[in-house]
Every structure is written in structure tokens, then in C-alpha cells.
Amino acid sequence: METYDYIIVGAGSAGCALANRLSADPAIKVCLIEAGKKDNSLMVRMPAGVGNLIKDVNDYNWGFWTEPQKHMNGRKLWWPRGKGWGGSSSINGMVYIRGHAGDYNQWAQMGLKGWGYGDVLPYFRRSEGYEGGDNAFHGGAGPLKVSESPMNSPIYRAFLQAGEEAGYKTTQDFNGADQEGVGRYQRTIHKGERWSASFGYLRPIVGVRPNLTVISTGLVTRVLIENGRATGVEVVEGKGRLAQEIHASGEVLVCAGAVQSPQLLQLSGIGNPEHLGRFGIETKAKSVKVGQNLQDHLDLTIIHEMTQPLSAYSMQKGIKKLGVGIQYLINQTGAGADNHLQAGAFLKSREGLEMPDIQLHLVNAIMMDHAKHEADKDGYTVHACQLRPESRGTVCLASSDPFDAPAIDPNYLATEEDRRAMREAVKMVRDICSQNALKALTGAEIMPGESVKSDEEINSFVRRMGETIYHPVGTVAMGVSEDSPLDGELRVRGVEGLRVIDASVMPTLIGGNTNAPTIMIAEKAADMILKKAPLAAEEPQVELA
């Protein structure tokens, strides 16, 4: 039985960052355990491979399904989640967004000292290797490479102009002084390669630091708890295989994500005693809110045919696909080096909002149902999601078998405000797409389709076609109240030597993509674990309303 100072469960975005920062001290022994494989696939490295990764269960995608959704015609929704080195940063859309400054100030207003925007900005900057170099909002020397979208297709430029024609302002930097408006995205792509947390934080140190041990294809089935303290973990390499115990003299750090972190805690006896009892699990620590507070961005796709052969379809159709692959293998350029998602927007769906509540992602392709259906023509897709839903869901055990997926119930569209916002998002996208700047490129509306006009027809479309855009958070939330699963330093209440560090700790869903914030949380947590003074707060001028 090997003993380490720290055991990290999950080599996803947070786990990779933690492994790097904690093992920087050669006197600290770190064990990183991941259920999936090393990220060697070309589909992971090549940005255009994202569609192949998210559409089905594979070596890099757990491929969960939700419970039937009460407010969405009883549908079960597909939930891709990353598996293997890099976790979801190895299968995501590579959009680098931090959220609005007001999101973090809200955390501070909830009593979470040290989590305001000024407090977290230095950790965003420490993590970031922005191609434009260091400035008040960006870091130039961090492990996570971030580049500006080249805007190298007419559709992106036309979209920004159409946004202006529709009355929205243009913002130069969604992660800068003012998030609101239309603009180009920054992406975690570097020299034509996906720059995941694995590429930035883990790969450079594996085999270089002898104090870091990485165990792949090992599922952690429970945290070992003795006398109120986490002492290690139980690991199984496959169903039916013998379990191995690995011990920690310091702390166990759970970084399994918003779905599997609450599942692991519950399997370990941390949760609602009534729920645990149904599966014959002894309660080690009563924490009734573990698995509660699930929040996610529900997404709609508004899709148009394109009148000119300028989308990813024409770039890659037929024999061209072979050429795209060869070009990428030779020099990491061409259509394979693009995520085909370079522009978007953060907009307000009604007056009186302090922050944008709608996010748009423009994809230079027809993309529906998580790329499960291959496009057969040129077109473009505008994804529209509501940033701060009121609806709350759960992640609960479906069985006591750790190899079974948990029961995921996002409870989408449970409130009228959520339904209003999604309805308004459709109207806003349609308005932008009808502007003069896009007329030369825009053909027939494929989805929702011209027959969908009234509010009730749009409501029906939302229920029938809404899907996740992959941003679940909140299921092991930090808070100041004693019934919050975690305290402000991400320590599990009721169990010593145990923390959770990933998107599940967010008390509220931030206004944007969640990968960059998850990495920031790990950066900040590393200093907490090592008992280092937090980085000095920074307060550049930002637009908060």
C-alpha cells in the first residue's frame, strides 16, 4: 500500500492543474488517479475533431444521459463528459471564457471571502498563456495557451456586423473590461493544436518529476474514511477486478467533476443519510446538499442554410476530408486546426439586467444534436443559451455500483423566467440573422423553421430541441452555512483531509463557458492546500452593468 502526501481523483481540468502546482515541490509526493486513458488520440489533438468526441461514448467521453425531463416532453438528454487525461478540456469546444466579473462578486456577497472578482483575477492570469502577452486582464506566461480567433471566414465578420445592425455593441475582449456585446472568441488552441489542461499542466511534468505518480484506467470507487478523516481511496482497474487501496498522509482531493464528484462522495458515505440508506451505504458524514444545486446552461440551435460554399462542410466534404487530415498531420494547419467556432455574443434578453443573460456561439457548420447527424450541405449554426437559469436539479445515486452512472436530473425549464429567456433568445438570434450584413450568406432557416412563429410554437421548439451546452456546476457547492457541503476553502464539512476541487464547487453558475473558471479554482485551491498567502487582489476597471 503506497502512501502519498496528496491523492488527486480525476485528471481533468482541475486535477491536471493541481498535480502540476502541488508536485512543483520535490518533497511532496502526489498521486493522480484517472479512470480514462492518456490523451493520445489525433481527435483530441486536432481542434476539428471535437465533433467526433462529443457525439457518442468513446475512450474520452463518459456519455451520460439525464433522467426524463419533466418540462421538456419527458426527454432524456445526452450529456457528454470528459474521460481521460484533460477531462472535459480534451473534448470541449475550446472557447476560453471566464464569466462576468459580477458572478464572482456575487460569490463574495454570499459570504465567500476571497472569491470576489478582484481575488480570482490573479489566478486567471497565473493560469493563462495569452498570445497577446501580459496585461491588466490577461496573463502571458501561464500553462494554458490562449489565442485570438483569426476570423478567417466571411460568416464571422458578417455576424459581428449584423449584431451591430441589430443594435448591439461590439466588444474587443469578452474577458476584459466589458463582456457585453458581439465579438470574437479567444480559444485554447496553440499552433493548431487543442491546448487542454493535460497539454498545459500535466504532459510537461510526467516523467520529469519523480514525486508525481499518474495512474490511468483506475476508477476510484470510494474515499476511505476512518474516525472522521479521509485516509486514502479505493481504486479498481475494471469491473470485477480486485480493489487496491492507496493512502494519503495529507489530503484526498476529489476532482471528478459536477457529475462524478457528488457520486463519489455519496458512494463514500457523505450525503443525505436517507438517500444513502436506500443503497445500503453507511453514513460517514451527514451532508444533505451533496448532489443538490445542479445548474447547467440549456442551449438551442438556430440553423440556416448558407448560400455560398464557405462552411466546414464544403471544406471537408468527399475526398477533401482526406486532404484536411493529411495537411493537419504534416503541419497542423488548415480546416483541421480550426474549431469552426470563432465568434459569438453576450446579450441581455430584457431591460433592467445587470449582466448579459444570453450567450451566442456561432459555428461555421450545420451542427445539431451534438454532431450526431452529419451535415449534407453548407450552413451555419447559432447556439443560444441562458446564462443564469433559476432551475435547480440533482445528481443522485442510481445504484451502489460505482460503475453505474448516477441519476442526473437538471430539471431544465422549471421556472417561467427560464422559459421566457430561452424564448427571447430565439427571437434575438432571428433578428441578428435577418440583418443586411448576413443576407448574402443566409439561406432558408432549417431550425426552428419558418412555421415556428408564435410564443407557444417557440416554447414547443425549446421543449423538443433544447440540449445541454456542457456546463454543469454546483453539485458540491461551497458556502458559509453549516449545511453547505464545502467551506470557502473547499474542505468537505464533517470529514478532515478531504476537499472537492472542480466545477461542482461553484455555488452559482457563471455567465459563460466553465473550463477556464474550473482551472482558476484549482489554481487558487493549490495555494490554499499549500498554505500559501493568496495572490494579491487586482481591481482593473470593469463594466458591471
Side-chain angles (χ1 to χ4, degrees):
M1 291 188 299
E2 190 74 30
T3 298
Y4 298 86
D5 295 297
Y6 298 103
I7 295 173
I8 303 170
V9 181
S13 300
C16 287
L18 276 177
N20 184 297
R21 297 307 188 192
L22 297 182
S23 67
D25 182 345
I28 295 175
K29 289 180 66 177
V30 177
C31 181
L32 175 64
I33 307 172
E34 167 56 43
K37 299 168 59 176
K38 188 175 181 180
D39 52 343
N40 286 330
S41 170
L42 176 64
M43 290 298 104
V44 172
R45 285 180 48 220
M46 182 172 68
V50 58
N52 293 285
L53 295 169
I54 65 170
K55 66 183 181 181
D56 54 28
V57 175
N58 55 61
D59 286 343
Y60 302 100
N61 185 355
W62 288 98
F64 296 117
W65 289 92
T66 72
E67 296 297 291
Q69 289 304 284
K70 177 181 178 182
H71 308 288
M72 300 187 70
N73 300 347
R75 295 164 52 216
K76 291 186 175 183
L77 275 60
W78 173 248
W79 264 38
R81 302 309 303 155
K83 181 181 183 181
W85 289 23
S88 290
S89 75
S90 290
I91 69 169
N92 69 2
M94 292 154 282
V95 174
Y96 180 83
I97 288 290
R98 298 171 178 174
H100 197 281
D103 293 317
Y104 303 102
N105 289 339
Q106 181 185 4
W107 293 2
Q109 290 162 8
M110 295 167 66
L112 290 164
K113 184 179 179 181
W115 289 99
Y117 178 69
D119 302 303
V120 302
L121 178 60
Y123 289 99
F124 277 119
R125 294 180 65 248
R126 184 169 83 177
S127 70
E128 185 185 14
Y130 175 55
E131 68 175 4
D134 194 79
N135 60 45
F137 293 98
H138 292 278
L144 188 67
K145 301 292 186 183
V146 176
S147 60
E148 295 281 355
S149 291
M151 302 292 284
N152 55 4
S153 171
I155 189 66
Y156 302 123
R157 297 189 293 273
F159 178 81
L160 299 193
Q161 187 177 343
E164 290 184 356
E165 290 175 356
Y168 303 112
K169 62 185 178 183
T170 296
T171 182
Q172 298 303 312
D173 184 355
F174 289 132
N175 297 303
D178 187 5
Q179 184 194 64
E180 185 177 0
V182 295
R184 66 170 159 178
Y185 277 123
Q186 292 155 5
R187 308 181 297 176
T188 50
I189 297 175
H190 178 61
K191 295 183 178 179
E193 287 191 312
R194 169 193 293 275
W195 207 256
S196 66
S198 169
F199 273 65
Y201 285 92
L202 185 58
R203 280 174 167 263
I205 62 173
V206 171
V208 176
R209 296 180 183 175
N211 59 321
L212 173 65
T213 298
V214 180
I215 299 173
S216 299
T217 65
L219 181 71
V220 174
T221 55
R222 66 187 176 104
V223 176
L224 303 174
I225 301 171
E226 297 178 12
N227 300 318
R229 182 174 184 83
T231 60
V233 298
E234 182 180 82
V235 184
V236 179
E237 291 191 11
K239 193 163 187 176
R241 302 287 294 273
L242 290 175
Q244 173 189 3
E245 289 188 1
I246 301 175
H247 286 205
S249 59
E251 296 187 47
V252 175
L253 311 171
V254 175
C255 307
V259 173
Q260 286 151 301
S261 282
Q263 180 189 23
L264 179 58
L265 293 189
Q266 290 166 351
L267 289 169
S268 306
I270 304 167
N272 186 330
E274 182 180 341
H275 177 62
L276 301 181
R278 291 181 206 148
F279 302 99
I281 298 172
E282 178 189 353
T283 299
K284 297 285 187 175
K286 179 181 177 180
S287 187
V288 296
K289 291 188 176 179
V290 168
Q292 305 294 306
N293 194 47
L294 173 61
Q295 300 157 62
D296 185 36
H297 289 147
L298 185 66
D299 179 69
L300 296 168
T301 50
I302 294 86
I303 305 174
H304 287 84
E305 292 183 10
M306 191 181 288
T307 58
Q308 299 179 38
L310 298 171
S311 76
Y313 169 74
S314 282
M315 296 179 202
Q316 303 178 48
K317 69 178 179 179
I319 194 66
K320 288 182 180 180
K321 184 172 286 188
L322 178 61
V324 168
I326 291 172
Q327 180 179 354
Y328 187 81
L329 286 171
I330 291 172
N331 57 19
Q332 291 78 57
T333 61
D338 189 5
N339 65 347
H340 303 286
L341 196 174
Q342 299 188 24
F346 288 85
L347 309 174
K348 295 175 181 176
S349 69
R350 59 178 171 84
E351 292 184 5
L353 293 174
E354 294 183 356
M355 299 176 281
D357 66 327
I358 301 295
Q359 182 180 4
L360 307 182
H361 295 81
L362 172 62
V363 179
N364 187 22
I366 293 174
M367 184 180 178
M368 60 179 73
D369 194 16
H370 312 280
K372 290 178 181 286
H373 304 288
E374 193 162 333
D376 59 0
K377 64 181 73 173
D378 283 289
Y380 68 89
T381 301
V382 182
H383 288 266
C385 72
Q386 180 196 16
L387 291 174
R388 294 175 190 83
E390 293 179 349
S391 302
R392 297 291 185 269
T394 59
V395 174
C396 300
L397 295 179
S399 83
S400 59
D401 186 343
F403 287 88
D404 288 347
I408 304 166
D409 183 6
N411 194 30
Y412 293 122
L413 299 177
T415 75
E416 177 52 37
E417 172 60 15
D418 290 359
R419 296 188 286 270
R420 182 209 63 81
M422 296 304 290
R423 189 169 60 239
E424 194 64 25
V426 174
K427 297 176 183 178
M428 293 163 71
V429 172
R430 281 177 155 175
D431 182 41
I432 292 173
C433 293
S434 70
Q435 300 299 318
N436 288 331
L438 274 169
K439 282 188 175 176
L441 295 173
T442 300
E445 183 181 276
I446 299 171
M447 187 181 292
E450 294 182 3
S451 64
V452 176
K453 296 177 180 178
S454 70
D455 281 0
E456 187 45 49
E457 287 167 342
I458 296 173
N459 287 341
S460 176
F461 165 66
V462 175
R463 291 192 298 269
R464 287 185 293 108
M465 303 305 296
E467 297 283 350
T468 180
I469 202 166
Y470 326 120
H471 301 155
V473 308
T475 48
V476 193
M478 58 177 167
V480 296
S481 65
E482 287 302 312
D483 63 351
S484 297
L486 308 178
D487 67 13
E489 294 199 0
L490 312 181
R491 295 173 294 204
V492 174
R493 284 191 166 90
V495 182
E496 294 183 7
L498 180 62
R499 300 190 207 224
V500 177
I501 302 163
D502 55 35
S504 71
V505 312
M506 299 183 194
T508 57
L509 183 52
I510 60 95
N513 310 68
T514 50
N515 184 243
T518 300
I519 292 172
M520 174 278 290
I521 288 167
E523 287 273 9
K524 187 169 174 59
D527 281 356
M528 293 174 174
I529 294 163
L530 297 173
K531 295 181 171 56
K532 292 184 177 181
L535 298 179
E538 301 172 0
E539 297 287 353
Q541 189 64 40
V542 294
E543 184 67 42
L544 291 174

